Amino acid sequence: FHACAHGLSSVPEIADTVEMDDDAQHLVIIASDGIWDVIPVAQVVAFVGKFRPEEAQLATERLISKAQLRWQEQEDCVDDITVIVVWPSFEKPQAEA
């Protein structure tokens, strides 16, 4: 089975180091190329960033719909579209009294 010839790979594309500002809100978007091939990274972040953390499911559903529409506008087929959106909390634990 030669899936690589069809653009399939089990090797993820990830950054080695990510530095985050303690005072900023953080957003983690894990997605398949079904998103990244049709929507630029900055646009994905701006789009999802309009939602509140408690709306993560809605943000994901809307992003998937947006990507699916883009695929339908550009191609006769739609690539697989997988997205996970997380607003992590990096609050430091309070010291016990």
Side-chain angles (χ1 to χ4, degrees), residues 9-37:
S9 172
S10 62
V11 180
E13 296 177 26
I14 57 172
D16 292 333
T17 304
V18 176
E19 293 187 25
M20 296 188 268
D21 184 357
D22 290 340
D23 297 328
Q25 181 179 15
H26 302 287
L27 174 63
V28 177
I29 303 169
I30 303 167
S32 66
D33 63 341
I35 294 290
W36 308 122
D37 286 351

Side-chain angles (χ1 to χ4, degrees), residues 12-95:
E13 296 177 26
I14 57 172
D16 292 333
T17 304
V18 176
E19 293 187 25
M20 296 188 268
D21 184 357
D22 290 340
D23 297 328
Q25 181 179 15
H26 302 287
L27 174 63
V28 177
I29 303 169
I30 303 167
S32 66
D33 63 341
I35 294 290
W36 308 122
D37 286 351
V38 293
I39 307 175
V41 173
Q43 192 175 21
V44 170
V45 172
F47 181 82
V48 174
K50 294 177 184 177
F51 294 85
R52 296 186 314 268
E54 57 272 11
E55 297 176 315
Q57 180 68 36
L58 180 60
T60 302
E61 291 170 0
R62 297 273 173 86
L63 181 60
I64 289 170
S65 294
K66 185 178 190 81
Q68 184 175 15
L69 182 61
R70 294 263 177 100
W71 274 102
Q72 291 170 336
E73 291 171 346
Q74 297 176 12
E75 303 284 337
D76 291 334
C77 65
V78 175
D79 197 3
D80 67 301
I81 301 171
T82 304
V83 181
I84 299 171
V85 175
V86 178
W87 277 267
S89 173
F90 297 108
E91 295 177 10
K92 296 178 182 164
Q94 297 177 354

